[in-house]
Amino acid sequence: MKTDMDVLDRLSGQKVIVFGDFMVDEYLQGSVSRVSPEAPVPVVLVQKQSRRLGGAGNVVLNLKALGAQATAVGLIGADTNGDWLIGQLKASGVDASGILRTRGIVTCTKTRITAQHQQLLRYDCEVVQDAGRDFLSFLSAEINRLTAEACAVIISDYGKGAVTDQTAKIVISAARERAIPVIVDPKGKHYCKYTGATACTPNLKELKTAVGRELHGEDDICQAGMELCQKCGIEYILVTRSEDGMSLIHGADGTKEDYPAIAKEVIDVTGAGDTVIAVFTLCFAAGAANSQCCTTANLAASIVVSKFGAATASVGEIRALLQTTTKQHSKIVSKEEAVRTAAALHRQGKRVVFTNGCFDIVHAGHISSFRKAREYGDVLFLALNSDASVRRIKGDKRPIVTQEHRLTLLESISEIDYLVLFDEDTPETLIREIRPDVLIKGKDWEGKAVAGGDFVQEYGGQVCFIDLEEGLSTTNIINKIRYIYGE
């Protein structure tokens, strides 16, 4: 059974573009023992001064902590803080060729004064202004090169000027041309600039701002997410909800899936959203089911909020927490998830095998065929006829076992990696979208027209016929039962 553990194994080495507002986070850490005689404010004795990448830079750090490759795309100043920022990106192994530096921009710097692990004050040095023509020209010229080998794009919008209607359109369009997901950490209420994005990840307060009203209860949250999806052409809204975990709202059908928070001591929530979007994006790009993406991101968030300051979660930390807090996840995926998963597996060089059938009353012959099919590649997708489809093919008395129970039984078979239900009489449409390397049918189909077979062979795939166990079939089992019981 596929678990979040399997997903974690697929995160390393993925290349992600991070486009947005890069900034410097500065920390002045000290202690407080008295109040100033000049004003009723605490006096901080500074004992340590440090800097780290902030904003979109923290997303990059989270990706690197998970073993991914990152390319930074943004606009910063040709100033001292900009020098430090570029130096840190390069020292972290990040491709900084997508960063444009100009003297007309001030590199945003946030300084936090802390004592006893508590923030006392933050002051910002910045000039907020939309990116100008120079950055538009730079982005238009470079975006195809930057996204050529990427598996995903993250847009980290902090409202500092890099992400505008025009720049967002350039980046999202380039990603869509390459059929790679775009995940956005949004800002403000103007979500239509993210049109075409795969998902946006607002927190609950940001979701309220986006729709311009208070949200009372779960139905309101779901409705607000649906409105944004429909109005702005976004597939999913992932709402992060602090102690209530997160909720994934599907734009296509209006459903909402909730993922409770993992109980841990909260020290500092700074940067938790950056961790969520980094982990969710990598899992999504790796072909994980939506439930796996959300659960793994939730786990990572619980790790970083237990640390001080903007922090990251490593694969090892997530794996350790996962072993104690979660159970295995379903192999059953939607058609959309099956297609996305197969695409990710193909990018990883995996050999995808596809077979299909009704599998009404699963028997030893089926198990044997699954074992043989699995030998043809690395991953086995099984497409299962729905109840309606079985009735059209087999008659009104079938299926004997409902689709829910058939899926549950098949899910327990180790040779099967992914299960997807389809309503059509044949899986040809699904085959065209999954594009398996090998299509498996029983020897009884040899010499006959196989649904999707010609298409698979056209792009260099194989159609293979396997031996079936003689005398084993659902029809024979049904006839034997009828004979024994005298019908």
Side-chain angles (χ1 to χ4, degrees):
M1 181 176 284
K2 291 296 174 188
T3 68
D4 289 299
M5 294 292 190
D6 300 294
V7 175
L8 293 174
D9 292 336
R10 305 205 298 268
L11 303 188
S12 179
Q14 295 195 83
K15 182 178 179 181
V16 180
I17 304 299
V18 180
F19 163 56
D21 297 299
F22 287 81
M23 55 191 75
V24 178
D25 280 346
E26 182 178 45
Y27 293 88
L28 301 179
Q29 297 169 274
S31 60
V32 173
S33 59
R34 62 191 179 95
V35 175
S36 171
E38 302 164 356
V41 295
V43 176
V44 180
L45 177 62
V46 176
Q47 297 163 329
K48 182 180 179 181
Q49 184 173 359
S50 61
R51 291 190 291 185
R52 61 173 284 139
L53 294 170
N58 192 47
V59 178
V60 165
L61 292 179
N62 275 275
L63 291 168
K64 295 297 294 183
L66 296 163
Q69 299 179 45
T71 298
V73 180
L75 178 65
I76 64 171
D79 49 22
T80 302
N81 285 330
D83 293 340
W84 180 89
L85 194 154
I86 291 294
Q88 285 298 112
L89 287 173
K90 292 181 178 178
S92 300
V94 176
D95 179 359
S97 64
I99 297 283
L100 178 66
R101 303 187 64 187
T102 175
R103 296 189 181 280
I105 296 292
V106 174
T107 302
C108 177
T109 303
K110 298 178 180 180
T111 301
R112 296 172 176 87
I113 302 176
T114 68
Q116 284 80 42
H117 298 296
Q118 296 291 325
Q119 284 193 34
L120 301 181
L121 176 69
R122 191 186 96 184
Y123 63 89
D124 296 354
C125 294
E126 62 183 20
V127 176
V128 177
Q129 59 189 54
D130 284 352
R133 292 181 180 177
D134 288 348
F135 186 59
L136 282 173
S137 299
F138 171 80
L139 197 58
S140 297
E142 296 293 325
I143 194 62
N144 288 333
R145 175 186 66 82
L146 294 168
T147 57
E149 298 179 357
C151 67
V153 170
I154 292 176
I155 298 180
S156 184
D157 188 357
Y158 276 79
K160 306 303 181 184
V163 185
T164 66
D165 288 14
Q166 292 172 298
T167 60
K169 183 177 181 180
I170 291 169
V171 173
I172 294 173
S173 296
R176 282 312 199 186
E177 285 179 7
R178 288 159 179 75
I180 58 176
V182 180
I183 316 297
V184 182
D185 187 355
K187 196 72 172 178
K189 60 176 63 176
H190 181 42
Y191 278 43
C192 283
K193 70 177 174 179
Y194 312 126
T195 295
T198 309
C200 282
T201 64
N203 60 36
L204 191 54
K205 181 180 178 181
E206 290 168 337
L207 181 62
K208 294 175 184 178
T209 299
V211 296
R213 65 176 184 272
E214 288 297 314
L215 303 175
H216 305 286
E218 300 304 310
D219 289 344
D220 280 2
I221 292 172
C222 185
Q223 180 60 35
M226 272 296 295
E227 286 179 18
L228 291 177
C229 287
Q230 293 175 351
K231 179 181 178 182
C232 304
I234 300 166
E235 294 179 40
Y236 301 98
I237 296 292
L238 177 63
V239 189
T240 55
R241 305 176 60 180
S242 299
E243 68 274 7
D244 291 326
M246 59 180 65
S247 298
L248 184 69
I249 300 159
H250 298 237
D253 56 17
T255 56
K256 179 168 75 69
E257 299 166 4
D258 297 319
Y259 300 89
I262 307 301
K264 283 182 75 91
E265 182 183 7
V266 176
I267 302 297
D268 192 342
V269 299
T270 303
D274 296 333
T275 299
V276 167
I277 197 169
V279 175
F280 180 87
T281 301
L282 283 177
C283 291
F284 197 95
N290 291 338
S291 59
Q292 291 175 303
C293 298
C294 293
T295 302
T296 310
N298 226 356
L299 287 166
S302 73
I303 292 168
V304 299
V305 298
S306 67
K307 302 177 182 180
F308 182 73
T312 62
S314 69
V315 170
E317 289 174 311
I318 299 172
R319 193 184 303 277
L321 185 57
L322 181 64
Q323 289 173 335
T324 60
T325 57
T326 62
K327 297 179 180 180
Q328 290 181 324
H329 286 280
S330 175
K331 299 176 182 180
I332 304 166
V333 295
S334 67
K335 291 181 181 180
E336 293 76 15
E337 289 174 327
V339 172
R340 176 162 52 81
T341 300
L345 290 166
H346 281 132
R347 287 197 296 270
Q348 297 162 23
K350 301 293 186 182
R351 189 169 172 83
V352 173
V353 183
F354 182 102
T355 192
N356 66 279
C358 300
F359 304 109
D360 188 18
I361 305 183
V362 175
H363 51 71
H366 292 144
I367 305 301
S368 175
S369 68
F370 299 150
R371 288 173 180 164
K372 291 173 183 175
R374 189 66 170 74
E375 293 174 357
Y376 281 83
D378 301 304
V379 182
L380 177 60
F381 282 77
L382 188 145
L384 183 69
N385 292 76
S386 69
D387 287 351
S389 177
V390 175
R391 278 193 292 271
R392 289 194 301 270
I393 297 169
K394 304 284 187 180
D396 290 339
K397 293 183 179 181
R398 301 281 295 276
I400 304 298
V401 182
T402 65
Q403 62 191 36
E404 289 79 10
H405 291 156
R406 285 184 285 137
L407 283 168
T408 299
L409 195 156
L410 291 166
E411 190 180 19
S412 67
I413 298 172
S414 60
E415 285 77 13
I416 299 170
D417 294 290
Y418 295 99
L419 283 160
V420 57
L421 198 67
F422 68 97
D423 281 320
E424 299 82 7
D425 290 349
T426 78
E428 179 154 3
T429 299
L430 194 57
I431 290 169
R432 287 178 174 272
E433 294 180 335
I434 288 179
R435 297 176 67 87
D437 299 289
V438 185
L439 174 60
I440 298 291
K441 297 296 288 185
K443 274 285 180 66
D444 56 335
W445 278 90
E446 203 163 14
K448 301 177 183 178
V450 174
D454 290 343
F455 174 74
V456 171
Q457 291 175 323
E458 282 175 7
Y459 60 75
Q462 294 177 281
V463 179
C464 297
F465 301 94
I466 58 175
D467 292 320
L468 302 176
E469 297 291 323
E470 291 187 13
L472 291 176
S473 72
T474 300
T475 301
N476 288 346
I477 292 172
I478 292 171
N479 289 338
K480 185 174 181 178
I481 293 171
R482 294 178 65 188
Y483 174 78
I484 290 173
Y485 287 92
E487 293 187 13

